[in-house]
Amino acid sequence: MLGKIKQSLHVKRKREAEKKHNLFYLFWECTQRCNLSCLHCGSDCLSDSKYNDMPKEDFFKVLDNINQHDHEQTTVIITGGEPLLRKDLEECGFEIRKRGFRWGIVTNGYAYTKERHITLLNAGMGSITLSLDGLDDKHNWLRNNPKSFDRALNALQLISGSERLFSDVVTCVNKQNYHQLEDIYRLIAENGGKAWRLFTITPIGRAKDNKDMLLDADEFTGLMDFIKEKRKSGEMDVKFSCEGYVGPYEGKVREDYFFCRAGINVASVLIDGSIGACPNIDRSFVQGNIYTDNFMDVWNNRYEMYRDRSWTKRGQCANCKEYKYCGGNGMHYWPEDKSNVLTCHFQLIK
């Protein structure tokens, strides 16, 4: 009973956040080039993307536009593709910091060297998210590269040695690495990791036809139990991502209850200038384009489908008893035709 009361209060806070829509995080998809060809990639990134890297000056105009308005402290998260492939990444970071924004990157760690670590810190990088998807065999399998694990582990050791850098490790949990979770936990802890976020794999991009990557109900419930127990130990900050509503595990597998902040507190500038929310949401959900629209006008006056999600009460969500608390799951689970949510985490729980 107490849990439902807390969730009801959380729903009220979500409604307030939707009205205020303070911009906390702005993702910049600075490139779609990548030095890996991961089996689960949602963006289908390639070493030679059909899109050129976005000129940094084009993105800076967005930041200047934001600074013309009163806004909460916004953090820029540089993503891709693999952002380390940009030779001017440090220049980008320096200019972002110069404009008063904190910034960080999301990386697979393959090109993260000691030299790059130092230059990024000198450019003001304040946060980094590193992908580590298993012990050497399973990580290399998912990342589709025999050297990927060693490179990622080296990156973890470099990152963990920097006290002023906020960092976390993310793991895409799948059938191949599910039985390695305890070993992955120990590996991260022994190499200085302080925070670990676990995801499941979204059936989009390259993963949509690979059922071997998707957890079944027993495995998903086991994942929830694993996270719940690790959070009790306090040795490392372990949490389930914000990807979906998990019913009886809400309040137990992360700090707060499920809240997909896409389009509410999170926006993105995609590689072609499209203005969206989280970068892995279907591209049909974009709200404008920086080359034709004023970014802050778009942020303040569009995003209706994100801030009023009543349209998601369809398909399997139409008669769900938990809809009040879930609200249609994470936005990245809705396809272009919006006919039905791709995955319901609540239904996976046994």
Side-chain angles (χ1 to χ4, degrees), residues 195-217:
W196 186 27
R197 275 186 296 144
L198 296 98
F199 290 75
T200 59
I201 292 183
T202 309
I204 59 176
R206 296 176 192 158
K208 65 182 178 181
D209 297 319
N210 192 337
K211 302 299 183 183
D212 191 44
M213 293 188 190
L214 308 180
L215 300 182
D216 60 30

Side-chain angles (χ1 to χ4, degrees), residues 315-329:
Q316 63 184 307
C317 296
N319 300 305
C320 180
K321 63 180 181 179
E322 298 292 308
Y323 183 85
K324 173 183 177 181
Y325 308 112
C326 174
N329 223 25

Side-chain angles (χ1 to χ4, degrees), residues 41 47 87 120 206 227 255:
C41 182
S47 58
K87 295 181 179 179
L120 288 166
R206 296 176 192 158
I227 296 173
E255 290 89 349

